[in-house]
Amino acid sequence: MRTLAVTMLRPAPAEGTVRVTRPAALAVLFGVLATALAAAGSWIPSLWGDEAASIMSAERPLPTLFRMLGHVDAVHGTYYLGLHFWGAVFGFSPFSVRLPSAIAVGLATAAVVLLAARLRDTRTAVLAGALCAILPRVTYMGEEARSFAFSAAIVAWATVLLVFALDRERPRAAWWIAYGALLAVGTHVFLYTALFIVVHGVVVAASRTPRRVIAGWAIAVGGAVVAAAPLIAVAVNEHHQIAYLGSTPQLAPQTLISGLWFGGMWPLALAAWALVVLAVAVEARRRVLVAQAAGGGLFFRSGTRLPSLVPLALLWLLLPAGLLIAAQAVVPDFTARYVSFCAPAAALLMACGVDDLLRWRRWAGVVTGLLVVALTVPVYLGQRTPYAKNDSDWAEVSAAVGANARPGDAVVFDESARPSRRPRLALHTYPAGFRNTADVTLALPFTENTGWRDSAYTVRQAAAKGRFGGVDRVWLIEYAASPTTADSYGIAGLATLGFRATGLRIATHRAVVALYVRTR
């Protein structure tokens, strides 16, 4: 046991034990790898409710987008605006709208490599880059058309800028301008990015950096807060939009231990947390027994102004999550995806744990690393199945309608389901299958609405407006928790108009597509 402790406490070499290439080249290599892994198969899962909100908001003409943001989703406005311009060039296919997120996780991974190389050694940088690229939360947010991957990238690069600035006697003003701009943009991309002011504030407060450096950081943060203040005010006003999260259990042990960053897989979560605990324990003993004796501190490396990697990553991992969980008592809106920007820190801590094992017994580190990789594979593959996103099956619904509809057919959507599950969203996420159909119950298209969704008439209201004139075939699409528990929305109204079921009934994963024809 003493041999284990002594071997693990041996200080990491300044340049690391792996001399592959420069950190910048490694960062590019692992950034590309992370992007490729996230993008691979990203078109397979059906788009789901949150992604439908992204696409439909981004597809709007800019005047109507800005009008919508004055009523709902202001906190996502920057992301929607960016996706608007991206989609204008590359379209809004599932692969296209998810690709920016894949690029963002590549950027986050590159920053992780640079941090590990700067604060520890090259081998840890290689391990951190590899682990970040395959971590389930990273591969998940990298294939989702939402802002979480961008928040992770922004947080990671803001941390890189802070570390590099703290290591300088007189950081250039450009460093602080860039840092403040990242914090401001990050807060506009995802509001809770502002929590990293607290994380970085702890780092700065614990540093031995000159006062002028601390003043530069404070000015940069002040500028970011001023820039983000209007959004924060609007977010408070629009908070009711996510009030439903308070009625959903979000803090179960399964979520906190395995769901935040490890894909809900217990074996992987236990292995990951074991590596985190190992890294923290070894670093704590090293700081107390070695660094402090040489004039260092518990947080910073001996003889430098640079923070140690493990305590920095531990703050990054736990402090934002802890603040959000603590806020549940006042504002119950926590969900696991909100701490996606902490996933790079989990990769850093796991990499330090594997590195400690490698320094003790190489075989132990190799076996552990391979075990972690093996455990991520089923999670990764499961994320790239047709119904991986909240059980959504809109691609299947669109394909069923497209394979059977004729020109002149009408379509009626179940409007009684929860808004994020309504089959109508298949029309906007996979429009090709509906090219031969008329949306006869549409009241107000989303592009003219102050919310992100369409407004729809009931079947009877649409009939009163003459929408069924000349229509002999109607496709009724009901939400179904299972094929035998389909909703019955619209059936009575169609019967009143003389439509009867034909027997052509296609059950998809979460919907039933049925053909009705006019008999009188």
Side-chain angles (χ1 to χ4, degrees):
M1 191 69 183
R2 180 176 176 81
T3 303
L4 168 63
V6 170
T7 306
M8 283 187 168
L9 290 172
R10 186 181 302 143
E15 293 300 323
T17 57
V18 179
R19 291 178 177 270
V20 179
T21 184
R22 294 179 178 178
L26 280 176
V28 171
L29 173 64
F30 283 102
V32 171
L33 173 64
T35 293
L37 284 174
S42 61
W43 58 89
I44 296 173
S46 181
L47 295 159
W48 71 293
D50 281 12
E51 292 181 303
S54 296
I55 292 169
M56 294 165 68
S57 299
E59 284 182 330
R60 289 168 170 264
L62 289 180
T64 70
L65 173 59
F66 293 135
R67 184 167 66 248
M68 182 199 81
L69 295 176
H71 294 83
V72 296
D73 273 4
V75 294
H76 301 298
T78 300
Y79 174 73
Y80 293 161
L81 188 63
L83 191 60
H84 171 90
F85 291 110
W86 173 272
V89 177
F90 300 105
F92 291 94
S93 70
F95 176 75
S96 176
V97 296
R98 287 168 172 163
L99 182 58
S101 293
I103 295 171
V105 299
L107 292 171
T109 302
V112 161
V113 171
L114 290 179
L115 280 171
R118 183 78 169 189
L119 300 181
R120 189 151 167 139
D121 57 43
T122 308
R123 182 168 68 187
T124 306
V126 170
L127 292 168
L131 289 169
C132 191
I134 64 173
L135 202 66
R137 178 57 64 185
V138 174
T139 55
Y140 181 90
M141 65 184 173
E143 61 152 4
E144 184 170 60
R146 296 298 279 174
S147 62
F148 300 109
F150 289 90
S151 69
I154 289 169
V155 161
W157 279 99
T159 305
V160 169
L161 284 176
L162 178 66
V163 166
F164 279 53
L166 290 178
D167 196 33
R168 283 162 170 74
E169 188 73 26
R170 294 179 179 272
R172 294 180 179 178
W175 287 82
W176 293 126
I177 292 172
Y179 175 80
L182 275 179
L183 284 181
V185 171
T187 304
H188 278 269
V189 168
F190 180 58
L191 184 65
Y192 293 139
T193 301
L195 292 175
F196 278 81
I197 294 174
V198 180
V199 176
H200 292 170
V202 173
V203 175
V204 172
S207 71
R208 296 184 298 273
T209 193
R211 289 185 179 180
R212 57 178 168 272
V213 177
I214 298 175
W217 174 81
I219 292 171
V221 166
V225 170
V226 169
L231 177 69
I232 295 171
V234 173
V236 171
N237 188 51
E238 293 185 357
H239 183 264
H240 63 279
Q241 294 177 59
I242 55 174
Y244 70 92
L245 291 173
S247 62
T248 306
Q250 301 288 339
L251 300 180
Q254 170 78 13
T255 299
L256 296 179
I257 296 173
S258 66
L260 298 183
W261 305 293
F262 309 119
M265 185 180 186
W266 276 99
L268 174 60
L270 293 176
W273 281 114
L275 288 171
V276 170
V277 170
L278 175 64
V280 172
V282 171
E283 180 69 17
R285 287 182 63 82
R286 181 184 295 129
R287 290 297 99 198
V288 172
L289 301 178
V290 180
Q292 193 173 40
L298 295 179
F299 197 94
F300 280 74
R301 299 170 65 184
S302 302
T304 76
R305 289 193 293 268
L306 290 175
S308 295
L309 181 59
V310 170
L312 172 64
L314 191 64
L315 274 175
W316 180 350
L317 182 71
L318 298 182
L319 186 53
L323 290 172
L324 286 173
I325 291 170
Q328 278 285 94
V330 180
V331 185
D333 65 353
F334 178 81
T335 184
R337 291 189 300 157
Y338 285 0
V339 292
S340 296
F341 50 24
C342 298
L348 285 167
L349 289 166
M350 291 168 65
C352 291
V354 174
D355 182 59
D356 289 332
L357 286 175
L358 285 168
R359 279 191 269 145
W360 171 56
R361 292 286 188 272
R362 184 172 294 273
W363 65 265
V366 171
V367 170
T368 302
L370 291 176
L371 174 64
V372 170
V373 172
L375 290 173
T376 64
V377 170
V379 181
Y380 176 83
L381 295 177
Q383 290 171 348
R384 282 148 181 80
T385 54
Y387 315 125
K389 296 288 188 183
N390 206 34
D391 271 346
S392 175
D393 65 347
W394 296 335
E396 191 178 7
V397 168
S398 176
V401 174
N404 295 279
R406 303 174 187 171
D409 287 359
V411 62
V412 171
F413 298 99
D414 181 357
E415 304 292 344
S416 65
R418 197 169 73 193
S420 63
R421 293 184 180 271
R422 288 178 185 171
R424 168 176 291 280
L425 298 176
L427 171 66
H428 299 298
T429 50
Y430 296 92
F434 297 92
R435 61 184 178 276
N436 289 325
T437 64
D439 183 4
V440 290
T441 59
L442 177 65
L444 188 67
F446 70 91
T447 53
E448 300 175 18
N449 215 338
T450 54
W452 63 267
R453 301 187 299 270
D454 295 328
S455 296
Y457 294 122
T458 64
V459 170
R460 288 187 172 89
Q461 289 171 334
K465 293 182 176 295
R467 296 289 186 87
F468 287 89
V471 174
D472 295 319
R473 289 166 37 110
V474 174
W475 294 95
L476 177 62
I477 306 177
E478 303 276 16
Y479 174 75
S482 70
T484 59
T485 58
D487 291 344
S488 57
Y489 179 88
I491 293 177
L494 289 174
T496 301
L497 297 175
F499 288 92
R500 296 291 181 270
T502 63
L504 178 52
R505 186 176 184 274
I506 305 167
T508 65
H509 185 63
R510 283 290 183 265
V512 171
V513 180
L515 176 63
Y516 286 71
V517 297
R518 193 188 292 273
T519 57
R520 57 180 172 82

